Amino acid sequence: MIATTETKSRETKLPRLLTQLPGPKAKRVVEQDAKFMSPSFTRDYPLVAKRGHGAVVEDVDGNTFLDFAAGIAVCSTGHCHPKVVEAIQKQAAELIHMSGTDFYYESLPQLAEKLVNTVPGADPKKAFFTNSGTEAIEGAMKLARYATKRDKFIAFYGCFHGRTMGALSLTASKSTQRKGFGALLAGVEHIPYPNAYRCAHGHTTETCGAEILETLERQIFKRLFDPEEVAAIVIEPIQGEGGYVSAPKFFLQELQRICRQHGILFILDEVQSGMGRTGKWWASEHAGIEPDIITSAKGIASGMPLGAFVARASIMNTWKPGSHGTTFGGNPVCVAAALATMDLIETEYKENARRMGDYLLTKMADWTKKFKIVGDVRGRGLMIGVEIVRDQRTKEEAADLRNAIVDAAFHKGLLVLGAGANTVRLSPPLLIDEEQADFALRILEECIVEAQKKA
Ligand SMILES: Cc1ncc(COP(=O)(O)O)c(C=O)c1O
């Protein structure tokens, strides 16, 4: 009987709420968590997940939710895709760990080949696997220093690159993420990120950021860092944590030109925006740029902990055995999950992300007219941000209203996350269909109308 109910709820594509939220079992988990877990996490609402299938998550009380958060843009192929599960199970029964630092196993160079072949640019490339996004950034920074023999970095306000000390030195998203941790890496300078919606110079998406590039060349390079001391410029082509803001195409192209001119490495952080999420393997492909180093994690292994950085072979070949390593990075089980994930992204989900992203954005095109608290709807593929403002004219950020929308959506069975100060982020698994997209839009519209009444 229970099995029948469970099977049924797992198969459904849309949510079904059975209890008040949180339900009795969820409440107990939340209480235990408060007692024993680090309080540094930021839980927006009390979802206590039990199982997931496709784009649907079931909680411990049997409630099901439509997941437009995907574990922070991680479950690219949905929850527990049968092909990913099969790959994990098969590998776990054969070899769980070996450590690529010391020995070889077949799947490691196999995944490396598959991954480097997705990265734009004719030059040969090589990969290094990590356990997380922050470690991919950490490794990319170390490689940049090693290869260039320079030690300075330039990063952008609003960007998030992780929380380990090196990556945190680049992260400039929210001050709470840095507060209390003392001095970070020296030699990191931040400059503004081009945000067309809030462009200080009134530019459109085509031209926003021209003044930032001028500041880089005329101020930073003249008064702070000689460009010959700069190892790398690190940027997210689409800011994730910072609010789903896309850098204009010309801006990324100019940044690449500046890097090339001064022998500075151009590092693209695609931990969130990569792996098919925007309809191409990498968001930066939309801008026609070629990174020197690119980082990945999140969606690469459908939820198994894996990150990577890929560099031109001429850069990666500079460091010597022993200069960088890892015990777990590129673990066989994670690699098996990644191989299955990348197959699915290649054959189905990259295209579905493009198609469903267009579908959603077309339907949301009139939201700034329809809702006075929606300041901007933006994104590419299944990386969509809805910026919530107090007043469309002043663009005052309305964090409280955004939070109210995120919370109300949960209580109606839709999981979404915030990003930046006041943006609702839509980052569903790449397999959603039109019925699920329509459901999510209907719920979000209801929540926005409710929040509007409080404005
Ligand atoms: C663009 C970007 N870089 C790096 C990271 C850090 O990844 P992780 O949390 O796996 O360390 C994140 C995580 O949100 C991210 O979005």
Side-chain angles (χ1 to χ4, degrees), residues 132-134 160-162 236 269 271-272 298:
S132 63
T134 198
F160 183 90
H161 300 288
E236 285 177 273
D269 181 351
V271 163
Q272 187 152 171
K298 288 195 185 283

Side-chain angles (χ1 to χ4, degrees), residues 38-204:
S38 154
S40 61
F41 294 152
T42 49
R43 273 75 170 259
D44 285 341
Y45 44 79
L47 170 76
V48 180
K50 170 98 174 161
R51 55 172 68 88
H53 184 71
V56 173
V57 171
E58 185 177 328
D59 80 358
V60 280
D61 295 291
N63 301 298
T64 59
F65 301 83
L66 180 62
D67 187 1
F68 264 49
I72 329 185
V74 167
C75 301
S76 46
T77 61
H79 293 275
C80 303
H81 192 290
K83 288 192 176 158
V84 176
V85 171
E86 191 192 341
I88 292 171
Q89 285 175 336
K90 188 163 171 281
Q91 185 60 50
E94 209 167 275
L95 180 74
I96 291 179
H97 177 71
M98 184 41 60
S99 188
T101 291
D102 291 329
F103 301 109
Y104 301 91
Y105 39 96
E106 273 179 310
S107 58
L108 203 56
Q110 201 184 334
L111 180 64
E113 182 176 3
K114 199 173 177 70
L115 183 64
V116 305
N117 284 338
T118 64
V119 179
D123 288 0
K125 294 177 190 67
K126 288 191 168 183
F128 184 104
F129 292 107
T130 67
N131 306 286
S132 63
T134 198
E135 282 174 81
I137 289 290
E138 212 67 42
M141 291 175 81
K142 285 178 71 182
L143 177 61
R145 278 189 165 186
Y146 197 101
T148 60
K149 301 189 175 57
R150 304 172 177 189
D151 69 343
K152 311 259 187 290
F153 291 95
I154 290 167
F156 291 81
Y157 289 118
C159 282
F160 183 90
H161 300 288
R163 296 172 184 273
T164 50
M165 284 299 195
L168 187 60
S169 310
L170 300 180
T171 290
S173 184
K174 297 190 179 90
S175 56
T176 41
Q177 291 156 353
R178 297 165 67 107
K179 188 181 172 195
F181 300 115
L184 299 173
L185 206 62
V188 177
E189 193 60 34
H190 290 89
I191 57 176
Y193 189 92
N195 180 342
Y197 175 61
R198 294 180 175 278
C199 184
H201 302 276
H203 288 297
T204 62

Side-chain angles (χ1 to χ4, degrees), residues 429-448:
L430 308 185
L431 49 57
I432 56 156
D433 64 14
E434 288 179 10
E435 193 185 356
Q436 290 170 319
D438 288 341
F439 178 86
L441 291 179
R442 187 166 58 71
I443 296 296
L444 278 175
E445 291 203 359
E446 274 176 35
C447 297
I448 292 169

